[in-house]
Amino acid sequence: MTGFALASQIMLWIAVGVLGVLVMALARQVGVLHERIAPAGALTLHQKVSVGDKGPEMELTALDGARVRIGGRREGRSQLLFFLSPDCPICKTLMPVLRSAARAEAGWVDTVLASDGEDEAEHRRLVMKQELAGIPYVLSETLGRSLGVSKLPYAVLLDEQGRIASLGLINNREHLESLFEAKERGVASIQQFLAGA
């Protein structure tokens, strides 16, 4: 082996060693960054109602004619109130997520769709197009106002006693699931849980 070949082999192994050290340092930094980025939960935008407050109690008629009891005591069951609008594009993109969550959490959560819209036909078209049959859908401006709903899509999870367990603006699956997580962990929000951890 000539001197040039030997020198190039040595330089190559040094380069491989330096590259290995750099990859390990980068992997460490990715791990640190991963720990610092906490999951984002549903965003609460107002303070009209707070976690722990008694939720509204009312009986409403769903679009399909069924009577729907909102709030109050429920033996072993919580109630998810999901506020939406037929002209809300984010609401429409969340419908598959909502259907999936309603099925997955059906053992302990009753899901109710709610809106303050007046055009029943438009809401019925939304139910058909988004395949929401089987999930009660109520129209009530009073319900949204009593919970301080100002932006959509918004969700409120009521516990078995009819108290607000968690609430917030929902923009993706993570936000919706954070409501269930917050209730199961007994905190107002995932952010509160992470701050205490």
Side-chain angles (χ1 to χ4, degrees), residues 126-182:
L126 177 69
V127 168
M128 294 285 288
K129 189 172 184 180
Q130 297 293 332
E131 301 172 7
L132 299 171
I135 302 176
Y137 193 133
V138 298
L139 300 179
S140 172
E141 186 176 340
T142 306
L143 178 59
R145 285 186 189 272
S146 68
L147 292 166
V149 176
S150 60
K151 295 191 182 223
L152 298 175
Y154 199 84
V156 178
L157 184 63
L158 301 174
D159 68 12
E160 299 83 357
Q161 311 307 316
R163 298 200 172 280
I164 297 170
S166 55
L167 70 163
L169 188 64
I170 306 295
N171 288 323
N172 56 42
R173 177 181 291 275
E174 184 180 40
H175 290 168
L176 183 60
E177 290 176 353
S178 75
L179 298 180
F180 303 133
E181 273 301 309

Side-chain angles (χ1 to χ4, degrees), residues 25-47:
L26 181 62
R28 183 177 179 283
Q29 287 302 318
V30 168
V32 168
L33 182 63
H34 188 282
E35 286 179 8
R36 288 183 185 166
I37 298 175
L43 306 170
T44 54
L45 301 173
H46 60 77
Q47 293 301 320

Side-chain angles (χ1 to χ4, degrees), residues 100-112:
S100 171
R103 281 191 305 272
E105 308 297 338
W108 66 282
V109 176
D110 296 323
T111 302
V112 176

